[in-house]
Amino acid sequence: MTTKSRRRQPAAASAFAPDAIEVHPRHLQIGGDWVASFAVTGYPREVHPGWLQPLLTYPGRLDVSLHIQPVDPRVAADRLRKQLGKLESGRRHSAAHGRLADPEVDAATEDAYDLSDRLARGEGRLFRCGLYLTVHAASEQELVEEISALRALTASLLMDAKPTTYRSLQGWITALPMGLDQIGMTRTFDTAALSAAFPFTSPDLPPPDPTSASTAAGVLYGWNLGSQGLVHWDRFACENYNSVILGRSGAGKSYLVKLETLRSLYRGVEIAIIDPEDEYARLAAAVGGTYFPLGTEGIHLNPMDLPIHTRPDGRRSAPADAVTRRSLFIHTLLSVLFEQPLTADERAVLDQAVTATYQQAGITDDARTWTRHAPLLSDLRAVLTDLGGDTARELASRLQPFTDGAFRGLFDGPTTMPPEGHLLVFSLRNLPDELKSAGTLLTLDTVWRRVSNPSTRRPRLCVVDEAWLLMHQQAGAEFLWRMAKSARKHWAGLTVATQDVGDVLGTDLGKAVIANAATQILLRQAPQAIDDIVHTFALSEGERQFLLSADTGQGLLSTGTQRVALQAIASDGEHELITTDPAELASLPKPNDETGEFAEIDSGHDLVLDD
């Protein structure tokens, strides 16, 4: 039987509707396209997260349509009870007549009892789901081959796909994105099985919890370039929460970092960002974050502040060795400021001077004195001058530019204000180049005090953009390495993003920072750095060529030995907040000249995945 349907189409609709549809018993001919539809009637007993992913990775053109209709809990309980009665009655009847037990009936009965218990405890619901497949081909012979390949694929997944014989038109309409199920061949799914059907987990990445089929609670990074499925990853489900992002300039590092930041804020994660190029100001203004522009007049960070924590009851506390820890940090800071390690004599003199400086301010090893006003770096220089000796005078002379000279602005006063908020952005753009490494170290120290506060436990992320500012100095690299190793204990993750791959991979400390990152993202690489990347991450030749030719926003997300190629995606509203394209920024709203605040940006656009 063949039915031809022709009608004149308006000019505007001609681009979307075919000129003719020929309806055959088992297939359709839609213009020059041959189409066959199938309804899935048999399913595997157990499914895992992303179990429909093989259908999405089918190499041909295949439409997968899943129709979902919730079942009323009372109706579900009543039908389940009747089904249990039928199954149990059949088992008893077979046993009474001495027949062998049917394994399929026994398995169905056990599953029904388990499902009934979970429904009674409110751990899930029932849904009636219809899964339909529509395969396309350019000719009838090609359609026969595609049908054979599709049925072999569904059989390998323990699914039984039946052709929509004499309902081929209804099958095609059912697969269209109109929400119409004109076939009506459904199966009952529970919440766990249905949630595992959605492509929010990639088969290339391990699920956060292999024993759970629940939807992942992580962040949507983009789509899988191999399957067009979604890449949804939860850093806080790994053995550590650190991440490293490596890519050449213009590869999309900051874009990806800002996208992850924005979506992590939705989850209630507190985030602190060290921003060397002032790229996060618009994002902070849009989400009500705190913007801390170092290097501007009146903004100070006192490196001699003790790590005092305010507890929920209002009382203040500090670690038992607070003064000792601060003395060690001063050693690290001066090594970064002087751009060379301190000698043994310099460390001995500096340690003596730091202790004397705190004593002059009334701060001793007695914890009751730790809430007094901390001394300044200029006080430390004065003590070094008074100590006498060549080493002390040399240290005081080298400190002079940072206390009384051109670089005193950052240290010339107590800390301006304690940074607070769900998003903290420390901008280093206004700092002189000679102070950016020290500014990065000071902000990391400030963030670490907040992270290590035992009275405010919550998930946190610390983002260090352009980490090469610290990695090219031994003392700074050691501080970043210690933070990478200790962050997990405080429910925090460290994100290290850099374009100078050599500064990270060229040192043992840099490699240790990468080794302590469970999540590693490689974006487009320069040919000069690709060999080091291939050797460090054990990449294949195909992955090497991919990183050399990847477009902006494309890269490899690696978790140990498993990797997935992804393309970062953002909604229109997100893109307006995180783009750094000068041409796009020129057309966006400017800050209000009087208030300094940014105009409100419409971020209510839906996320659309376009090919």
Side-chain angles (χ1 to χ4, degrees):
M1 178 184 73
T2 302
T3 303
K4 293 187 178 181
S5 173
R6 296 179 182 270
R7 62 177 181 175
R8 186 178 302 275
Q9 298 290 340
S14 61
F16 302 97
D19 293 333
I21 298 178
E22 292 189 12
V23 182
H24 299 264
R26 292 198 174 188
H27 69 271
L28 299 175
Q29 186 178 358
I30 306 172
D33 199 16
W34 295 73
V35 174
S37 298
F38 295 83
V40 178
T41 58
Y43 296 86
R45 182 190 175 195
E46 296 181 355
V47 295
H48 54 81
W51 63 282
L52 287 183
Q53 193 73 26
L55 294 178
L56 303 179
T57 59
Y58 183 75
R61 181 183 172 189
L62 176 66
D63 298 332
V64 180
S65 178
L66 182 63
H67 293 260
I68 305 168
Q69 180 180 1
V71 179
D72 184 87
R74 291 174 296 180
V75 175
D78 183 61
R79 292 179 179 176
L80 191 57
R81 185 166 51 251
K82 292 180 180 179
Q83 184 67 19
L84 276 172
K86 293 179 181 179
L87 292 172
E88 194 61 44
S89 176
R91 293 177 63 185
R92 295 184 180 182
H93 184 270
S94 297
H97 288 76
R99 300 172 184 167
L100 295 176
D102 187 344
E104 293 186 0
V105 174
D106 291 341
T109 305
E110 293 175 6
D111 293 341
Y113 274 116
D114 179 63
L115 180 58
S116 179
D117 291 341
R118 284 189 279 119
L119 290 178
R121 291 192 296 265
E123 296 178 358
R125 294 187 57 184
L126 292 184
F127 302 85
R128 297 201 66 81
C129 302
L131 180 59
Y132 308 99
L133 311 174
T134 298
V135 64
H136 299 253
S139 64
E140 186 174 9
Q141 179 59 34
E142 184 179 337
L143 180 64
V144 173
E145 296 174 357
E146 293 288 348
I147 290 175
S148 177
L150 176 62
R151 300 198 73 170
L153 175 61
T154 55
S156 68
L157 298 175
L158 302 181
M159 292 190 295
D160 189 9
K162 299 294 185 182
T164 55
T165 306
Y166 293 108
R167 289 192 291 175
S168 53
L169 180 61
Q170 289 83 350
W172 175 62
I173 294 175
T174 299
L176 294 176
M178 298 189 298
L180 299 176
D181 184 0
Q182 297 193 353
I183 299 298
M185 300 184 69
T186 60
R187 179 73 175 268
T188 301
F189 280 34
D190 64 347
T191 304
L194 180 59
S195 63
F198 287 91
F200 289 113
T201 56
S202 173
D204 305 307
L205 297 176
D209 182 5
T211 64
S212 173
S214 60
T215 302
V219 169
L220 174 64
Y221 283 87
W223 73 63
N224 189 326
L225 291 175
S227 68
Q228 298 300 305
L230 299 179
V231 178
H232 201 270
W233 183 246
D234 187 5
R235 289 172 54 176
F236 288 92
C238 303
E239 62 270 18
N240 67 65
Y241 320 135
N242 300 332
S243 172
V244 61
I245 302 177
L246 304 178
R248 64 182 298 178
S249 178
K253 298 184 306 299
S254 297
Y255 192 94
L256 185 59
V257 169
K258 285 182 278 190
L259 189 63
E260 182 187 25
T261 296
L262 192 57
R263 293 173 178 174
S264 296
L265 288 173
Y266 299 153
R267 297 183 54 201
V269 179
E270 183 181 294
I271 301 176
I273 300 174
I274 300 176
D275 177 14
E277 297 296 337
D278 204 25
E279 296 181 358
Y280 296 80
R282 298 182 63 256
L283 177 60
V287 302
T290 301
Y291 182 65
F292 207 77
L294 299 178
T296 57
E297 186 177 357
I299 301 295
H300 310 295
L301 275 180
N302 183 13
M304 302 195 73
D305 283 340
L306 294 178
I308 305 298
H309 304 313
T310 302
R311 298 189 299 191
D313 58 5
R315 300 178 61 185
R316 307 177 76 185
S317 63
D321 55 349
V323 176
T324 302
R325 291 188 182 185
R326 193 56 7 190
S327 177
L328 294 174
F329 176 73
I330 296 299
H331 285 237
T332 302
L333 175 64
L334 294 194
S335 297
V336 173
L337 287 176
F338 299 158
E339 296 186 354
Q340 63 182 26
L342 299 177
T343 65
D345 290 341
E346 289 173 338
R347 287 186 175 276
V349 172
L350 180 60
D351 192 65
Q352 181 184 357
V354 169
T355 302
T357 303
Y358 277 116
Q359 288 176 349
Q360 285 187 2
I363 298 175
T364 64
D365 290 335
D366 187 351
R368 292 174 296 181
T369 66
W370 293 348
T371 56
R372 296 173 180 172
H373 292 295
L376 303 177
L377 205 59
S378 57
D379 299 323
L380 175 61
R381 179 178 179 271
V383 170
L384 285 170
T385 303
D386 294 339
L387 282 178
D390 294 340
T391 302
R393 282 194 296 267
E394 175 67 17
L395 287 174
S397 176
R398 295 165 71 182
L399 266 179
Q400 191 273 337
F402 307 103
T403 58
D404 304 295
F407 304 130
R408 70 180 184 276
L410 183 60
F411 313 103
D412 193 21
T415 299
T416 304
M417 62 178 180
E420 298 287 342
H422 56 283
L423 175 63
L424 305 176
V425 176
F426 298 88
S427 176
L428 308 182
R429 183 176 184 178
N430 296 322
L431 282 177
D433 291 341
E434 294 82 357
L435 284 182
K436 285 193 175 180
S437 297
T440 303
L441 180 65
L442 281 173
T443 51
L444 273 177
D445 176 67
T446 302
V447 171
W448 184 249
R449 297 187 202 183
R450 188 173 179 86
V451 165
S452 60
N453 186 352
S455 61
T456 58
R457 293 293 189 202
R458 61 179 300 182
R460 291 184 171 97
L461 290 178
C462 176
V463 179
V464 185
D465 205 348
E466 302 301 346
W468 61 269
L469 291 171
L470 269 184
M471 295 303 297
H472 74 283
Q473 297 187 8
Q474 179 74 12
E478 288 178 355
F479 187 90
L480 200 63
W481 170 68
R482 290 193 298 269
M483 190 172 181
K485 293 192 66 175
S486 304
R488 181 189 63 83
K489 302 175 183 178
H490 300 281
W491 203 6
L494 177 67
T495 298
V496 175
T498 184
Q499 66 184 21
D500 290 338
V501 178
D503 288 332
V504 178
L505 301 182
T507 64
D508 292 337
L509 288 175
K511 294 179 180 178
V513 170
I514 293 178
N516 280 278
T519 303
Q520 301 161 350
I521 301 178
L522 305 177
L523 303 178
R524 183 171 182 173
Q525 301 296 323
Q528 295 81 359
I530 192 64
D531 291 336
D532 290 337
I533 291 288
V534 170
H535 176 72
T536 302
F537 295 92
L539 301 182
S540 66
E541 181 60 26
E543 292 168 337
R544 180 182 188 274
Q545 294 300 323
F546 170 73
L547 292 182
L548 287 174
S549 60
D551 293 333
T552 300
Q554 293 182 353
L556 292 175
L557 190 153
S558 174
T559 59
T561 59
Q562 295 176 291
R563 302 186 182 98
V564 57
L566 63 89
Q567 167 71 59
I569 53 173
S571 66
D572 293 341
E574 290 172 326
H575 180 76
E576 290 179 359
L577 292 178
I578 64 182
T579 182
T580 55
D581 187 342
E584 294 182 355
L585 292 177
S587 63
L588 293 178
K590 301 296 187 298
N592 187 292
D593 293 336
E594 297 180 358
T595 64
E597 296 178 355
F598 286 87
E600 182 178 356
I601 297 175
D602 179 14
S603 59
H605 301 283
D606 292 333
L607 183 65
V608 181
L609 305 182
D610 294 329
D611 291 334

